[in-house]
Amino acid sequence: MTLTAILPSLRASIPDPLDASAWPAHTEPTTDDVRVSAVSMSRLADVAGTPCVHTAEEAPPRYRSRDWTPRGMSVAVAAVTGVRRTDGGLVLELDAVLPACAVLDEARLIGRRTTAPRATAVVGEVPAERAGAGAAAGAVFDEAAGVDEAAGVDQAAGAAVLVVPADVAVGDLVCFPCRQALTHRALTHRALTPRALAPQALAEREIVATVTSTEASR
């Protein structure tokens, strides 16, 4: 529990602390932004549009071996494209695919200051009919089950969850670290996995594989 969590009004002058081990080296929070090696993430989103990604080196661990070398990691910025307030809480739609390596516990709202208390939000990606240029398509959020059936995150523990200010609105920017170096494509294209494929598509792939193996044996 941090001081800004106990007294949200302090966020107007004191930034929420972050876990330095989850962010790239030289990451500094402000009251309305995150800077990585002096690069403003909100400014990056203004220039490059969303979703966008910034790659940098991971921060050194507190205890490390002599042969330790830093790996690449990323900071992603996505825009909020939809907000639904239900009896169970907030449901957000983002214009990005959430990669499995995303550290959602460290997600932060940037681009504006707010002293609203924190709220837990479940993330459902943009529906296909509302997806803009570069946005993820095809995700379906099941409000009854509380699970995003086609989300890009690991669903073993349930739907993707963010902690954001309760006054989150469409157009806000959400920034979060990722433990791997990502490309822009990783935030805009869903990996075509067997789980994401329809049963008919899987059957077609099996038929093609069978024909290919038969021809190869000849």
Side-chain angles (χ1 to χ4, degrees), residues 80 82-93 109 112 114 116-122 141 143 164-170 172:
V80 177
V83 179
R84 302 198 298 276
R85 288 175 168 84
T86 66
D87 294 338
L90 292 173
V91 179
L92 299 184
E93 293 174 353
L109 188 145
R112 67 179 176 91
T114 176
R118 293 176 178 176
T120 300
V122 176
F141 183 81
E143 290 190 16
V164 294
D167 63 350
V168 61
V170 174
D172 282 340

Side-chain angles (χ1 to χ4, degrees), residues 3-211:
L3 190 59
T4 53
I6 298 172
L7 298 174
S9 59
L10 291 178
R11 294 198 193 108
S13 56
I14 301 175
D16 276 326
L18 53 75
D19 181 1
S21 64
W23 294 81
H26 310 298
T27 298
E28 299 176 349
T30 70
T31 55
D32 60 355
D33 199 1
V34 172
R35 295 173 183 164
V36 181
S37 298
V39 178
S40 165
M41 295 297 98
S42 60
R43 178 58 179 163
L44 176 66
D46 289 341
V47 173
T50 59
C52 58
V53 61
H54 176 72
T55 302
E57 289 186 350
E58 67 175 338
R62 185 173 181 180
Y63 301 102
R64 58 185 183 273
S65 59
R66 291 178 178 272
D67 59 350
W68 178 85
T69 55
R71 297 178 301 175
M73 61 182 303
S74 304
V75 176
V77 183
V80 177
T81 57
V83 179
R84 302 198 298 276
R85 288 175 168 84
T86 66
D87 294 338
L90 292 173
V91 179
L92 299 184
E93 293 174 353
L94 303 178
D95 65 351
V97 173
L98 295 178
C101 61
V103 187
L104 299 182
D105 292 344
E106 286 292 310
R108 303 170 68 93
L109 188 145
I110 62 174
R112 67 179 176 91
R113 297 181 183 180
T114 176
T115 57
R118 293 176 178 176
T120 300
V122 176
V123 178
E125 295 166 18
V126 182
E129 63 273 12
R130 291 169 55 188
V140 178
F141 183 81
D142 184 354
E143 290 190 16
V147 175
D148 185 353
E149 293 295 334
V153 297
D154 185 3
Q155 294 293 337
V161 175
L162 301 178
V163 177
V164 294
D167 63 350
V168 61
V170 174
D172 282 340
L173 299 177
V174 177
C175 174
F176 51 89
C178 301
R179 295 196 181 277
Q180 296 178 8
L182 302 176
T183 63
H184 179 263
R185 181 181 176 84
L187 300 178
T188 58
H189 292 74
R190 188 186 321 285
L192 203 59
T193 62
R195 184 181 176 205
L197 291 173
Q200 181 179 358
L202 284 174
E204 291 175 353
R205 287 183 59 183
E206 292 177 356
I207 293 172
V208 171
T210 302
V211 172

